[in-house]
Amino acid sequence: MSDAAEAPLISNREDGQDELHSELADNDDVGTEWPAGRPGLFIWLLTLSAGISGLLFGYDTGVISATLVSIGTSLSGRTLSSLDKSVITSCTSLFALLVSPISSVLADYFGRKPVILLSDLLFVFGAVVQALSYSVSGMVLGRSIVGVAVGAASFVTPLYIAELAPPAYRGRLITMNVLSITLGQVVAYVIGWLFAEYGDPSTGWRWLVGLGALPAGLQCALLLFMPETPRWLVKVGKSADARRVVEKTLGPDLTSHRLVDSVVKGIELELREEQGNALLANNGAKGSSRWRELVQIPKNRRALVIACLLQGLQQLCGFNSLMYFSATIFTILGFSIPTLTSLTVAATNFVFTVLALFLIDRIGRRRILLYSIPFMVVGLLLSAFGFSSIKLPSGETDVGGPMSIPTDSTTSMSSSRDAALIILISIMIYVASYALGLGNVPWMQSELFPLNVRSLGSGLATATNWLANFIVGLTFLPLMDLLTPSVTFGLYALVCAVGWYAIWRIYPETAGLTLEEATGLLENDWGVR
């Protein structure tokens, strides 16, 4: 390694790295190994404050499902077509896709916390624009602004939590953010049902979308009192501030205080090593591009492949489209109160995400995916079978009317109702399996990337998520019309099966490891043992 590579990142002393290695060697406790005790009150407050971003994301998902079946002719004076619904839904994903890479650059330059605060302001603005919309184009504008907010928050919030959390509880704390997403969906469906049943149909949906501004305002107020992550502080040369944050994170225990220096020095050492790797990848030249680091250094490239695989699979399996259009689907199937039926699906998602909260660090990321995805395939195939037993008229998703049931045959009516029940149960199986694994694990992507490229790599992986979300959201209803629901759900099952095989081949287990240890798994190969 060249002298330049050995120069410390945040120290002006030329022998800083040698001193650091000496200190690490002299004290067996020195390193990035955090104490195994339970996370303290400070960490839980940080997680809950940051987790409001997940609540906003989930609320937006649930809101659009309820809004699409209750909006009537409020926009542009006509009933929404399948194309209208698809564009209104998918524009959020499109702008989230465009913003995710940009937000990664902002998070590196300004810090993780300011990006979350900016997303809160955009959430408030987008919610107000939607509530005041009287045309399809106005609604698209409001949802596009929310897309910018969601794109930034969905990337930086898990990163913020991961860089603050003790290793033994990192998976659980990130899952808390996902739990907030599912809670937001439940809240949205409950409020949507209440407005649909007891509110004014012409204005209820406006209150529904406008209420999204409240949690954004609350998070903005809370985060003003929360710190930046110690890893970002070390990266920009603020080690003293980083030590104070680590002290709060580890708690008042005297043993924890003795570990503060070792944790911070471990982060410094990782930065120096990554700086050296970047110089080697750039043939010793200074000013190496982070993009080049990400692509040219083998372990970074492997991390990017895995993170993009998981994020792409999370959307291409069709889950978010199911949540966006669940009320529309249940309207097609003839359920009398589709929003309330959608609530049972959202509640299933919430309950099994709570279960994942207790299992993710015990079972492990890799194993929980390999166990749960086969059940997703089963649920999707059962849904395809159920839809094959129901005759849907042409253009059904366009008009949003109930399914066609022959009136001259009691047997046919009973069969169609049985098929609708099969579809509901199979969707709940699929959602439960998704909540246990694929709904959570991809957001732990920051575990895979070294600190120098963690923000950029996580941003690109999140952009992959939103690209897949945009594609699936835009094509779901047209596919239901053109290929039939049975074929559409069968395609999603095939995607899940292919994804399971890819995970089995290249995704290593990272549970219980520090961020620095987790990145080391990909040093020489895929790290699968």
Side-chain angles (χ1 to χ4, degrees):
M1 188 178 296
S2 66
D3 292 340
E6 292 174 353
L9 183 65
I10 61 172
S11 172
N12 294 322
R13 294 174 300 177
E14 294 181 353
D15 60 343
Q17 185 168 349
D18 293 334
E19 291 181 8
L20 177 58
H21 279 293
S22 175
E23 290 173 10
L24 292 172
D26 291 341
N27 191 338
D28 291 338
D29 291 331
V30 171
T32 57
E33 188 65 38
W34 294 46
R38 293 183 178 276
L41 178 62
F42 179 71
I43 282 291
W44 285 114
L45 289 175
L46 283 173
T47 303
L48 291 174
S49 299
I52 297 177
S53 293
L55 182 71
L56 287 165
F57 180 20
Y59 185 81
D60 177 74
T61 303
V63 155
I64 198 59
S65 177
T67 299
L68 289 177
V69 296
S70 61
I71 206 166
T73 59
S74 298
L75 296 178
S76 300
R78 59 179 172 80
T79 303
L80 298 180
S81 66
S82 281
L83 181 60
D84 291 330
K85 293 178 180 180
S86 297
V87 172
I88 288 173
T89 301
S90 60
C91 66
T92 302
S93 305
L94 175 61
F95 278 85
L97 160 67
L98 297 175
V99 165
S100 291
I102 300 173
S103 63
S104 70
V105 176
L106 295 177
D108 265 347
Y109 190 81
F110 295 105
R112 288 34 168 157
K113 190 176 84 167
V115 176
I116 300 178
L117 291 172
L118 177 61
S119 71
D120 285 330
L121 297 177
L122 291 172
F123 263 119
V124 172
F125 185 44
V128 172
V129 171
Q130 288 181 84
L132 299 178
S133 295
Y134 286 90
S135 65
V136 172
S137 59
M139 190 68 171
V140 170
L141 174 61
R143 289 195 55 74
S144 297
I145 295 171
V146 169
V148 174
V150 168
S154 63
F155 144 72
V156 78
T157 301
L159 176 63
Y160 182 77
I161 296 172
E163 290 192 339
L164 282 162
Y169 290 90
R170 187 170 58 247
R172 187 175 300 183
L173 294 175
I174 294 176
T175 302
M176 281 288 295
N177 182 59
V178 181
L179 182 64
S180 298
I181 296 176
T182 64
L183 178 60
Q185 291 168 348
V186 171
V187 170
Y189 284 124
V190 170
I191 296 177
W193 170 68
L194 289 174
F195 275 123
E197 290 299 305
Y198 304 106
D200 184 347
S202 63
T203 59
W205 68 269
R206 297 185 185 279
W207 285 101
L208 189 59
V209 296
L211 286 173
L214 295 182
L218 174 62
Q219 182 182 50
C220 193
L222 289 174
L223 280 179
L224 290 175
F225 303 97
M226 296 300 169
E228 186 53 78
T229 73
R231 286 174 171 83
W232 184 83
L233 291 170
V234 168
K235 186 176 180 180
V236 296
K238 299 181 178 180
S239 292
D241 291 338
R243 284 184 174 86
R244 284 191 286 271
V245 175
V246 173
E247 286 175 0
K248 292 182 180 179
T249 302
L250 296 179
D253 182 77
L254 292 178
T255 303
S256 298
H257 278 294
R258 289 195 293 270
L259 291 173
V260 169
D261 282 344
S262 67
V263 170
V264 174
K265 288 177 181 177
I267 298 170
E268 294 173 356
L269 178 59
E270 185 206 5
L271 278 170
R272 296 170 189 176
E273 290 175 345
E274 290 305 317
Q275 186 184 49
N277 289 339
L279 287 169
L280 290 174
N282 203 34
N283 296 321
K286 294 184 178 181
S288 171
S289 166
R290 287 186 299 119
W291 290 85
R292 188 175 300 164
E293 284 183 57
L294 186 62
V295 175
Q296 290 188 353
I297 297 177
K299 72 173 183 178
N300 297 347
R301 188 168 60 246
R302 295 187 191 103
L304 183 63
V305 169
I306 294 171
C308 289
L309 164 69
L310 295 177
Q311 290 285 16
L313 181 60
Q314 187 187 69
Q315 295 302 325
L316 293 176
C317 72
F319 176 80
N320 266 354
S321 284
L322 175 64
M323 300 306 291
Y324 289 144
F325 301 113
S326 60
T328 301
I329 292 172
F330 293 131
T331 298
I332 295 170
L333 293 175
F335 288 94
S336 59
I337 310 179
T339 304
L340 189 58
T341 309
S342 297
L343 177 59
T344 64
V345 177
T348 300
N349 189 21
F350 177 77
V351 169
F352 279 85
T353 302
V354 172
L355 182 59
L357 186 68
F358 298 100
L359 296 178
I360 192 72
D361 285 315
R362 296 180 182 180
I363 297 178
R365 287 77 154 132
R366 171 182 165 86
R367 282 190 293 274
I368 205 166
L369 286 176
L370 294 178
Y371 295 160
S372 61
I373 290 178
F375 288 96
M376 292 175 60
V377 174
V378 171
L380 288 168
L381 292 178
L382 280 175
S383 292
F385 171 76
F387 273 110
S388 69
S389 303
I390 296 176
K391 181 175 178 58
L392 297 174
S394 177
E396 189 61 68
T397 57
D398 207 32
V399 298
M403 66 181 177
S404 176
I405 302 175
T407 57
D408 60 346
S409 172
T410 304
T411 302
S412 296
M413 183 179 297
S414 176
S415 175
S416 295
R417 287 174 177 169
D418 289 343
L421 185 59
I422 289 174
I423 293 170
L424 175 59
I425 294 173
S426 62
I427 286 176
M428 292 176 71
I429 293 172
Y430 164 76
V431 168
S433 305
Y434 174 92
L436 283 174
L438 203 53
N440 297 287
V441 175
W443 295 114
M444 297 169 194
Q445 60 195 7
S446 55
E447 295 179 330
L448 301 168
F449 295 102
L451 183 54
N452 268 12
V453 295
R454 183 171 295 147
S455 182
L456 178 61
S458 296
L460 289 176
T462 303
T464 302
N465 181 294
W466 288 111
L467 174 61
N469 193 325
F470 171 70
I471 293 172
V472 174
L474 188 63
T475 61
F476 179 71
L477 290 182
L479 283 175
M480 293 271 284
D481 284 336
L482 296 174
L483 300 181
T484 74
S486 294
V487 175
T488 302
F489 279 78
L491 285 174
Y492 292 148
L494 178 62
V495 169
C496 288
V498 173
W500 182 93
Y501 177 74
I503 289 168
W504 177 71
R505 287 296 303 270
I506 68 173
Y507 181 44
E509 184 56 69
T510 59
L513 302 178
T514 66
L515 292 177
E516 292 72 29
E517 291 168 343
T519 61
L521 290 174
L522 303 175
E523 189 71 48
N524 300 311
D525 54 28
W526 294 104
V528 176
R529 302 290 183 260

